[in-house]
Amino acid sequence: MSMLRPALTIARYTLLEALRSRLLWLFVLAAGGAAALAGFLQQLALTESGAVQAALLAATLRLASVFLLATFIITSMAREAADRGLELLLALPMPRAAYLLGKLLGYATLAAVPALLFGLLMALFAAPAHSALWALSLLGELWIIAAFSLLCAASLQQALPALAATGGFYVLARMLGSLQLLAHGPHVGDSLAQRATAGAIDMLALLLPRLDAFTRTDWLLYATGDWQALGHVAAQTAIYVGLLASCALCDFYRRNI
C-alpha cells in the first residue's frame, strides 16, 4: 500500500503532462490525417477501393500511434532528467519501484486513448467485432512499446539514442516473420554463413515479441481474427511488459542517482 499510493500519484501527473503537451490532440489530428490520406488513395484504386482504404487507414493509424506514444515517453523522461525532476522525486521517502510503476501505469493508461480512438474510427470501415479485436491488439502492442521506451529512456538517458533503439526494436519485431521465411525458404543455400544467419534470426525470434502477429489488417478485411489470436497477443504482452519492466527496474536500482 505504501508503494501503490505514490505510484498512482505519479501516474496521475504523467497523464496531466500528456494533456498539457497536447498529445491527445495529436492523436486526433493523426486520425483525421490518416482518414484523409486513405480517402485520397482510395480514389486511385481500380478495384476493391473500400478494402484499400481500410488497409491503408489501419496501417497508418498503427504506425502513428506507436510513433507518437514512443516519442512522448522518451522526450518526457529526457526532459524530466534534464530538469532534475527525477532527483527531486527520488529524494522523497518512496521506493524507486514506485516511481517506475507509476510511470508505467501512466503510459499504459495513455496508450488506451489511441487504441480506443482508432478502434472507433476503424469501426466505420469494418465490422465492429473485428475492429474491437484490432483495437485490443493495438493496445497490447502499445503497452510493449511503452515498456521498451521506458527502458531505453531510463538506460540510455538521451532522447535520440533511445528513439533510435525503440525504432530499431519495433521494425525488427515487425519483420521477424518475414525474415524467418526468407532464411528458411526453398531457394536458400546450405552454406555455413547462411545457416548461421538463419540461426541468428531464429534466436532473435525467441527473444523478441512477434509484433507481426499483432494488430493484423487482414482481421479487418477478411475477418480472419478470433479471440484465440487475441489470447496469444495478451500472453505475449504480459510476458514482455513484465520482462521489460523488470529490466528497467534493475537498471534503475543499479544507477547512482
Side-chain angles (χ1 to χ4, degrees), residues 1 46 59 63 79 81 107 121 127-128 137 154 163 207 216:
M1 191 67 178
L46 299 178
L63 289 176
R79 183 171 58 252
Y107 296 141
L121 181 58
S137 179
L163 282 171
L207 296 175
R216 296 177 59 92

Side-chain angles (χ1 to χ4, degrees), residues 24 27-28 31 61-62 65 69 107-124 128 130-143 215:
L24 301 186
F27 286 135
V28 174
L61 292 177
R62 183 182 184 184
S65 60
L69 183 66
Y107 296 141
T109 305
L110 183 62
V113 175
L116 178 61
L117 176 63
F118 297 164
L120 290 174
L121 181 58
M122 289 309 306
L124 301 176
H130 297 291
S131 298
L133 188 72
W134 182 88
L136 289 172
S137 179
L138 177 61
L139 180 61
E141 183 173 338
L142 291 176
W143 281 354
T215 326

Side-chain angles (χ1 to χ4, degrees), residues 34 131 178 195 198 213:
S131 298
S178 300
R195 290 201 303 270

Side-chain angles (χ1 to χ4, degrees), residues 120-211:
L120 290 174
L121 181 58
M122 289 309 306
L124 301 176
F125 301 89
H130 297 291
S131 298
L133 188 72
W134 182 88
L136 289 172
S137 179
L138 177 61
L139 180 61
E141 183 173 338
L142 291 176
W143 281 354
I144 292 176
I145 294 300
F148 190 82
S149 299
L150 182 61
L151 171 63
C152 290
S155 301
L156 301 177
Q157 303 178 34
Q158 296 290 333
L160 187 58
L163 282 171
T166 303
F169 167 81
Y170 183 69
V171 171
L172 188 58
R174 284 282 302 271
M175 293 177 59
L176 271 178
S178 300
L179 291 176
Q180 278 190 299
L181 289 175
L182 292 173
H184 297 283
H187 303 294
V188 177
D190 197 33
S191 67
L192 180 61
Q194 289 166 330
R195 290 201 303 270
T197 301
I201 292 174
D202 290 339
M203 183 62 65
L204 282 175
L206 291 175
L207 296 175
L208 296 180
R210 291 295 302 270
L211 294 184

